[in-house]
Amino acid sequence: MSDRVRIYEVGPRDGLQNEAALLPTESKRRFVELLVAAGLREIEATSFVAPSAIPALADADELLPSLPREPGVRYPVLVPNVRGLARAEAAGADAIAVFTATTDAFTTKNIRMTVGESLAAFAPVLARAGDLGWWRRGYVSTAFGCPYSGAVAPERAVGVALRLLDLGVEEVCFGDTIGVGVPAQVEKLTRVALDAGIAVERIAYHFHDTRGTALANVAAGLAGGVRCFDAATGGTGGCPYAPGAAGNLATEDLVYFLDASGYEHGVALERVLVAARFVAEVLGKPLATKVGQAGGWDPATGQPVGR
Ligand code: COA
Ligand code: ZN
């Protein structure tokens, strides 16, 4: 198994979509610039959704073209329908993520469609994005539990993932939207996905640290062979349609954990901490993440680093 892990940064999108502060576009652009400088290569930059649904990301059309374009850096954007795809195309996108979930109760609140309707809505979006040669990801939110209908069987999450793969996505990402999952569930979900014929390279996990289980869940994902994990620098975020969804797994916590565990990922912890402090400052909040507070740790000196 490879020691190479992809860290998929969701701070500018999942992180900022639920924050009370509406950041100026320029602050978002600077945040992304700091993330690129930290070595992040996949940065979910914004959403082309209805501005009335997510006011915090209503500036997507201006933000995306303003971002630094570097070889090897991808800025996937969230797209719910053909209208969003047209906006993304006009703004110069080359990677998208579509998002559905395991339950009609959740998708009805989030995107006003049943799971089946959302898949039907994504078909032309993914087909067009495929014709354009864009990279495509599909989210299966509430993969471990739904805030409206409770427990979710792994078979159900995998069923939705298979339908997304049929529609052409390169990668499926199982999201623990409300942070209720534990490692035994991650193990089980990975096994069910692999047994259903999903290649391990096409699986990503998206954990929220709502109940302190996110890194343990990453460890379970790694043990199952998964090598792509989402995280948000500064630990911001949550879904406005998922009551109680606290912050994403913090990129700084993930980077520390992967470094100390011997995985390669190309991201520099001290620079992530710079970006984390920046986003906390512009949001007017203390940086509350574990590694944000403690810093990293240099085994040569025994001292914290990057604080
Ligand atoms: N971009 C901009 N505006 C859009 C849009 C898009 N992609 N899709 C729809 N709209 C506008 C419509 O033009 C309409 O505007 P109007 O009221 O001024 O006429 C309004 O949004 C409602 O459009 P409609 O097609 O009826 O959609 P809806 O009300 O059924 O909402 C979604 C469906 C998917 C567009 C909306 O629920 C949404 O954007 N949700 C995103 C939620 C999200 O991002 N959650 C966090 C991710 S986990
Ligand atoms: Zn999330």
Side-chain angles (χ1 to χ4, degrees):
M1 257 183 228
S2 154
D3 285 343
R4 183 91 198 163
V5 168
R6 288 165 48 218
I7 301 179
Y8 183 100
E9 170 72 37
V10 294
R13 196 278 300 170
D14 203 11
L16 297 185
Q17 72 184 11
N18 197 32
E19 293 290 339
L22 289 186
L23 294 188
T25 307
E26 172 53 24
S27 300
K28 296 177 185 175
R29 192 199 58 75
R30 180 68 186 141
F31 181 37
V32 171
E33 205 169 67
L34 292 171
L35 297 171
V36 172
L40 288 153
R41 287 297 169 264
E42 293 174 273
I43 303 172
E44 204 167 271
T46 185
S47 297
F48 289 89
V49 298
S52 53
I54 308 285
L57 304 182
D59 62 352
D61 310 77
E62 294 90 64
L63 178 66
L64 187 62
S66 79
L67 299 180
R69 281 287 169 187
E70 281 189 26
V73 176
R74 175 188 281 164
Y75 298 118
V77 293
L78 220 60
V79 163
N81 52 22
V82 284
R83 169 92 190 274
L85 185 88
R87 286 175 61 206
E89 196 176 341
D94 57 10
I96 56 165
V98 296
F99 54 110
T100 187
T102 58
T103 64
D104 291 339
F106 186 79
T107 55
T108 303
K109 289 262 194 320
N110 195 23
I111 49 178
R112 298 174 185 252
M113 301 177 234
T114 62
V115 175
E117 286 165 354
S118 73
L119 292 164
F122 299 157
V125 171
L126 292 168
R128 170 80 183 143
D131 289 344
L132 292 166
W134 294 5
W135 183 83
R136 296 161 295 173
R137 165 186 258 209
Y139 280 102
V140 183
S141 294
T142 63
F144 298 88
C146 169
Y148 308 109
S149 42
V152 170
E155 289 76 12
R156 189 180 180 109
V158 168
V160 177
L162 288 169
R163 293 176 68 187
L164 285 164
L165 288 162
D166 277 346
L167 292 176
V169 299
E170 272 75 43
E171 175 172 280
V172 284
C173 179
F174 293 107
D176 188 8
T177 316
I178 52 170
V180 292
V182 296
Q185 280 176 285
V186 177
E187 240 170 74
K188 180 91 194 291
L189 179 57
T190 309
R191 210 168 338 110
V192 173
L194 297 178
D195 288 350
I198 303 180
V200 77
E201 311 78 56
R202 301 180 78 176
I203 300 175
Y205 277 121
H206 176 110
F207 296 121
H208 281 242
D209 207 24
T210 320
R211 292 172 181 78
T213 59
L215 275 182
N217 288 342
V218 169
L222 287 166
V226 174
R227 292 291 181 270
C228 180
F229 299 94
D230 294 7
T233 293
T236 49
C239 174
Y241 301 95
N248 284 276
L249 169 61
T251 308
E252 53 272 35
D253 291 356
L254 177 62
V255 168
Y256 174 78
F257 174 86
L258 293 174
D259 279 344
S261 308
Y263 289 95
E264 282 174 37
H265 47 72
V267 180
L269 178 60
E270 291 182 47
R271 289 183 170 209
V272 171
L273 288 170
V274 170
R277 271 188 221 102
F278 173 82
V279 77
E281 194 186 311
V282 293
L283 289 170
K285 292 179 152 187
L287 179 59
T289 62
K290 297 283 188 203
V291 174
Q293 292 184 344
W297 183 70
D298 180 0
T301 64
Q303 295 300 306
V305 291
R307 266 205 304 196

